[in-house]
Amino acid sequence: MRCITVCVAVAALGVRASLVRRDDAHHPETPDTAPNLPIIPSVPFLGNDAMPSSPPSYPSPNTTTNGWWEHPVKRARKDVHAMSLDDLATLVTGSGYGNGPCVGNIRPIPSIDFPGLCLQDGPTGLRGVDYATAFPPGITVAGTFSKELMRRRGTAIGREFRGKGANVYLGPMVNLMRAPAAGRNWEGFGADPYLNGEAAFQTVLGVQNERVQATVKHYLANQQEHFRNTGSSNLDERTEREVYLHPFMRAIQAGVVSVMPGYNFVNNSWMTQNSALLNDRLKRELKFQGYTVSDWGAQHSGVASALAGLDMTMPGGTSCCDTNLTSFWGANLTQAVTNGSVPLSRVQDMATRILAGYYFVRQDEGYLKPNFNFMDIDDPATNEHVDVMADHDVISREISTAAIALLKNANATLPLHKPKKIALIGSDAGPFALGLNYYPDNIGWPYGALSMGWGSGATMNSYLVTAYEAIQQRARRDHTAINWSFDDFDYVNARKVANYSDVAAVFVTSLSGEGYGTVPNSKPVDKAANMGDRNNITLWNGGEKLIQEVAAINNNTIVVVHAVGPVLMEEWIEHPNVTAVLWAHLPGSESGTAVADVLYGDYNPSGRLPYTIAKQRRDYPAEVLYNSDAPQPQINFTEGLLIDHRHFDAKDIEPRFEFGFGLSYTRFNYSALDVEFIGDYGHNWNHKWGHHKAPDGLPSWLFEPAVRVSFTVRNTGDMDGHEVPQVYLRFPNDSGEPPKVLREFDRVWIPRGDTVHVHHTLSYYDLSVWSIPHQQWRRSPGTYEILVGASSRDIRLRHSLL
Ligand code: NOJ
């Protein structure tokens, strides 16, 4: 209670924010426990007053019965009033790592007939569980630029979670690719806020329509693995809202049940107790009605986190991930309420939010109990080995195939037509000799077909179709002579096999993962361990040399890249014998099938790059902070709004391949762009704000349609195919915005010779910038321009908008 008084008073007096920040980051004078319990001190604040700070925002807003949430919240409130304080504390505190079948568990509460909750990773499907699908990761579905595939992937993931009795899907992961080397980029949806936002929106709808709770993570600006528990992401309010918050807002608009505050600090306030971003941004401004759940071991205080808006602590103990049962909450939360440090109403609101989420997706209606044991999947007593894979190989294959971006296709090398002799070169084309799932969470993958990165976002492959397997089947059918060389370092054999063939496909990789695992790259280059983040954005296992060796001998060298993110290609991309390049992301289990479908033209490639591939690493706007002696390293987002392609445009840097780029086996012609204001509030919506000030949260009119964009695309080539028209917006010159920002996209199917009409609407929000002085989304004065193109640099149509 004291904190609330202090914070409000300090804010009102306009006292230096740094003073406030101390209060926000921890509560040194407020007891977390009553004297009869062991004292668990909050982790001390390690920064100093000169650092950027996060303003206080108290008290924590309660749930409301608005819209979709009316019934769930009403039911939850009824339960909560019948619950004892001990029950409330049980509901908001994880049972402790290992105490339950899932990676996170909430105990049952018999008094309200609540069976408990099973929370399970992760973004790519059910982690560490058998008879489940290893779906293509986030970066791959982002590469499809297809809203439909994003949704269908979410649906299939949701069905698998429901079939295994897991209540909560710990995904989607929407941290933008700010620094290309950041370890967990592959779990998310690439480098653009709108692409991420749409993928988040579709994933949440897909998962939750299957009655599974989704958890969008990691809130907020959790952008690298080095210093993952101590680093502070420092960013201004406009960058925060326009770039990093946007995907979370879209997830909330899809009705996401929970949000996971990450390990990091933002503006020197730990995310699990950052009242500005939990109480203010999420619960007030975005009107989030669900619950916040700490990342595993990310909570560092009892009272401060409760008051700042945290609603559930995971895995329950004060650290992750061991069987430590001492908790900041549990019995300590009960004590904190009893001694007046935390209002009962705050804990009741935590519980309301958690139960509302449970009712929101109707998990009270005959939902299965977990039928697996993540902690020991071989234990016959606790694993039923339920097969939930259904026909999800179909959607996985479609996504992995649709995501493949054809980056180079000299002399129409592809598609292949019954080649006489083909060589597959590189370990990624074949299976890993020691078997599937040899490395738990994929930590340690050295070579063999790369299906995903490492960490909690990895899933076990129930099967893995390699290129070796898929292309052999074609070879048999076509009477193609096939050979291979799977040792990445045996250049003599690679040359021999390449020399014999009229097509040589070289398979290369680049890998990264979550910071709790460290993986060395193989000989002979860069043996240094990668602590989650990549040390280099080059190929693993000396891939560049392998390509060069093969291209030196074979004038039809096709390169297939499986990678977590951008890779520098300058050493080989312009080699005249490198005739084609397939950018195949991380494919999950349908690795070879996807590549073969595109190579042989069964699938006309339509994938687009969800990030920029630069010519040199220093062309990117941001880097991982690798070294710091500071107890609380400062990660300053000085590039502001200029993430990825926005930076390349603003600084006029030529990329190797731009954001949104990908070739097709056919050609498309764009025409007839028509743009008109259709909204009720005209050209200038600033007057709409009236007296509506930020304390009310964002108004619904902001998201109403303002502008309709229509155009036609014709397939003028010889093959049916998908095109991915992208709608960019150019803000008025003085707006402070990048030269262009993505605002709409989708993949459309166009049979050869046909024309399709494409329509999109943009909302007032889409046309607005965040004004820090007004604390509102506002129209920028001047002329806007709508740009429609086949990539961020291949703009085909333009139209001004006054
Ligand atoms: C830590 C990771 O950051 C998070 O993404 C994951 O859901 C939890 N561990 C649980 O495994």
Side-chain angles (χ1 to χ4, degrees):
M1 293 303 280
R2 182 160 78 199
C3 169
I4 296 176
T5 323
V6 170
C7 297
V8 171
V10 169
L13 291 170
V15 175
R16 264 168 37 88
S18 52
L19 277 178
V20 175
R21 181 198 57 239
R22 281 193 179 285
D23 225 59
D24 198 43
H26 78 140
H27 291 247
E29 308 98 20
T30 312
D32 278 0
T33 57
N36 59 338
L37 283 170
I39 301 279
I40 305 170
S42 297
V43 178
F45 177 62
L46 300 172
N48 62 55
D49 287 351
M51 292 173 174
S53 61
S54 188
S57 176
Y58 298 96
S60 190
N62 286 337
T63 42
T64 66
T65 51
N66 282 346
W68 294 348
W69 288 87
E70 181 182 346
H71 287 293
V73 168
K74 279 186 177 159
R75 284 191 67 181
R77 282 188 184 155
K78 221 165 131 198
D79 287 345
V80 163
H81 282 114
M83 288 167 78
S84 66
L85 182 53
D86 284 348
D87 280 351
L88 293 173
T90 302
L91 181 62
V92 303
T93 309
S95 63
Y97 196 74
N99 277 330
C102 305
V103 73
N105 303 276
I106 292 290
R107 291 195 178 89
I109 302 186
S111 62
I112 55 164
D113 222 7
F114 176 72
L117 291 177
C118 157
L119 295 85
Q120 188 63 16
D121 288 307
T124 309
L126 283 146
R127 174 185 177 199
V129 168
D130 57 9
Y131 299 102
T133 303
F135 288 95
I139 199 65
T140 310
V141 76
T144 70
F145 278 62
S146 162
K147 296 181 186 179
E148 181 208 329
L149 292 177
M150 292 166 179
R151 173 79 72 95
R152 284 172 53 204
R153 175 176 175 272
T155 302
I157 290 175
R159 286 191 183 147
E160 296 205 359
F161 272 67
R162 179 156 50 84
K164 291 279 191 186
N167 302 82
V168 182
Y169 160 64
L170 296 173
M173 159 11 195
V174 297
N175 296 132
L176 293 168
M177 186 181 283
R178 171 178 179 263
R184 301 186 74 176
N185 283 339
W186 63 276
E187 295 181 46
F189 303 116
D192 185 89
Y194 265 63
L195 182 61
N196 259 269
E198 202 51 41
F201 185 83
Q202 299 295 344
T203 306
V204 169
L205 286 181
V207 167
Q208 294 198 166
N209 280 345
E210 294 302 317
R211 299 173 50 207
V212 174
Q213 306 179 31
T215 302
V216 64
K217 68 187 187 183
H218 309 85
Y219 188 69
L220 186 81
N222 183 249
Q223 301 299 140
Q224 63 169 65
E225 294 307 285
H226 281 74
F227 312 113
R228 75 177 194 148
N229 295 296
T230 53
S232 177
S233 298
N234 300 330
L235 61 169
D236 64 84
E237 263 196 57
R238 181 166 173 186
T239 303
E240 175 226 299
R241 284 193 178 73
E242 292 190 18
V243 181
Y244 297 94
L245 187 66
H246 175 84
F248 289 93
M249 184 193 81
R250 292 294 285 146
I252 292 168
Q253 289 176 335
V256 76
V257 164
S258 63
V259 174
M260 183 190 291
Y263 288 122
N264 56 306
F265 295 77
V266 168
N267 296 334
N268 293 298
S269 178
W270 245 313
M271 266 318 308
T272 48
Q273 56 193 58
N274 187 320
S275 63
L277 291 177
L278 299 177
N279 284 344
D280 183 77
R281 214 68 88 245
L282 266 192
K283 295 184 177 179
R284 184 195 61 79
E285 189 167 313
L286 301 182
K287 302 185 173 108
F288 173 58
Q289 303 294 307
Y291 62 92
T292 58
V293 50
S294 75
D295 200 342
W296 271 231
Q299 189 192 27
H300 300 284
S301 62
V303 174
S305 59
L307 298 180
L310 188 68
D311 300 314
M312 181 190 282
T313 178
M314 276 291 158
T318 50
S319 54
C320 176
C321 290
D322 48 39
T323 45
N324 160 17
L325 284 182
T326 320
S327 181
F328 287 113
W329 285 0
N332 279 316
L333 187 60
T334 310
Q335 292 288 351
V337 172
T338 315
N339 72 17
S341 304
V342 173
L344 175 63
S345 59
R346 175 71 269 270
V347 183
Q348 285 175 324
D349 188 58
M350 296 173 189
T352 305
R353 288 171 176 275
I354 295 167
L355 289 171
Y358 173 78
Y359 291 129
F360 184 68
V361 293
R362 297 187 289 114
Q363 289 186 343
D364 56 315
E365 297 173 21
Y367 204 83
L368 290 179
K369 288 211 166 95
N371 49 40
F372 65 94
N373 182 0
F374 166 70
M375 298 294 157
D376 182 0
I377 62 157
D378 294 323
D379 173 26
T382 46
N383 287 285
E384 295 173 35
H385 305 286
V386 176
D387 178 358
V388 292
M389 297 170 72
D391 62 353
H392 298 159
D393 57 308
V394 176
I395 177 68
S396 297
R397 177 173 177 170
E398 197 172 341
I399 293 168
S400 303
T401 314
I404 293 177
L406 178 64
L407 299 185
K408 181 174 181 181
N409 193 16
N411 317 319
T413 292
L414 297 179
L416 297 174
H417 298 288
K418 301 192 175 179
K420 281 271 173 233
K421 293 178 266 179
I422 191 167
L424 307 181
I425 295 166
S427 66
D428 179 52
F432 174 53
L434 297 178
L436 275 178
N437 311 312
Y438 182 82
Y439 294 100
D441 290 344
N442 218 20
I443 299 174
W445 177 93
Y447 55 82
L450 175 66
S451 65
M452 61 186 65
W454 77 77
S456 63
T459 47
M460 291 182 5
N461 282 288
S462 292
Y463 67 93
L464 176 56
V465 183
T466 64
Y468 162 69
E469 186 182 339
I471 295 174
Q472 280 242 87
Q473 307 278 350
R474 312 262 171 166
R476 183 176 59 194
R477 209 163 68 202
D478 295 348
H479 292 208
T480 297
I482 187 168
N483 205 347
W484 54 84
S485 176
F486 290 158
D487 185 331
D488 290 323
F489 303 102
D490 187 345
Y491 306 122
V492 175
N493 197 48
R495 276 173 171 258
K496 190 171 136 207
V497 170
N499 190 29
Y500 162 83
S501 310
D502 43 27
V503 185
V506 187
F507 288 75
V508 290
T509 56
S510 187
L511 180 61
S512 70
E514 188 175 342
Y516 71 84
T518 295
V519 178
N521 197 338
S522 296
K523 58 175 185 174
V525 285
D526 180 30
K527 284 196 206 161
N530 292 263
M531 288 165 49
D533 305 315
R534 288 186 287 173
N535 293 332
N536 296 299
I537 55 168
T538 49
L539 294 169
W540 278 40
N541 298 342
E544 289 83 3
K545 173 131 172 79
L546 188 63
I547 296 169
Q548 282 160 344
E549 290 283 339
V550 172
I553 211 132
N554 189 302
N555 65 5
N556 198 9
T557 299
I558 297 169
V559 178
V560 178
V561 185
H562 283 125
V564 285
V567 168
L568 300 179
M569 307 164 85
E570 297 311 297
E571 286 180 36
W572 50 271
I573 187 67
E574 285 187 355
H575 194 300
N577 290 348
V578 173
T579 48
V581 176
L582 261 56
W583 201 262
H585 303 285
L586 298 171
S589 296
E590 295 285 336
S591 178
T593 20
V595 167
D597 284 349
V598 170
L599 280 181
Y600 285 83
D602 292 354
Y603 203 101
N604 189 348
S606 61
R608 297 291 186 268
L609 286 178
Y611 45 75
T612 302
I613 300 182
K615 291 188 171 173
Q616 43 187 357
R617 185 167 179 176
R618 67 168 176 271
D619 287 348
Y620 286 104
E623 260 303 351
V624 167
L625 177 71
Y626 291 97
N627 298 304
S628 172
D629 294 334
Q632 195 165 302
Q634 301 292 293
I635 304 165
N636 297 319
F637 289 33
T638 45
E639 73 287 352
L641 305 177
L642 300 181
I643 180 172
D644 197 73
H645 60 98
R646 296 154 160 232
H647 160 83
F648 284 80
D649 282 353
K651 307 286 178 204
D652 204 15
I653 301 169
E654 199 192 334
R656 171 47 66 180
F657 292 111
E658 73 269 20
F659 174 87
F661 178 76
L663 300 168
S664 165
Y665 294 150
T666 188
R667 292 181 305 280
F668 298 99
N669 192 294
Y670 288 57
S671 61
L673 174 59
D674 186 39
V675 179
E676 65 171 316
F677 265 105
I678 53 167
D680 289 342
Y681 314 116
H683 293 232
N684 186 353
W685 52 96
N686 286 348
H687 67 269
K688 261 306 282 178
W689 283 100
H691 296 298
H692 186 112
K693 287 289 177 214
D696 305 333
L698 297 180
S700 56
W701 64 261
L702 190 62
F703 299 96
E704 288 178 17
V707 163
R708 183 171 43 228
V709 178
S710 321
F711 53 93
T712 58
V713 186
R714 182 173 173 75
N715 182 341
T716 57
D718 301 328
M719 218 178 178
D720 300 346
H722 290 100
E723 174 62 333
V724 182
Q726 298 154 42
V727 178
Y728 293 87
L729 179 66
R730 185 178 175 86
F731 278 90
N733 288 340
D734 295 336
S735 62
E737 288 293 304
K740 63 172 118 57
V741 293
L742 182 70
R743 280 299 183 256
E744 262 299 354
F745 63 86
D746 208 357
R747 199 174 74 129
V748 288
W749 171 250
I750 317 180
R752 67 193 152 139
D754 273 14
T755 301
V756 297
H757 301 277
V758 182
H759 304 280
H760 289 294
T761 52
L762 305 186
S763 67
Y764 292 99
Y765 167 87
D766 293 331
L767 300 172
S768 298
V769 299
W770 179 258
S771 160
I772 296 179
H774 292 94
Q775 290 289 295
Q776 290 171 347
W777 290 96
R778 294 183 69 89
R779 187 202 205 284
S780 189
T783 307
Y784 285 66
E785 199 177 13
I786 299 286
L787 315 171
V788 177
S791 82
S792 62
R793 294 229 159 173
D794 182 6
I795 300 300
R796 309 279 181 90
L797 307 169
R798 296 170 172 269
H799 198 293
S800 295
L801 188 64
L802 283 169

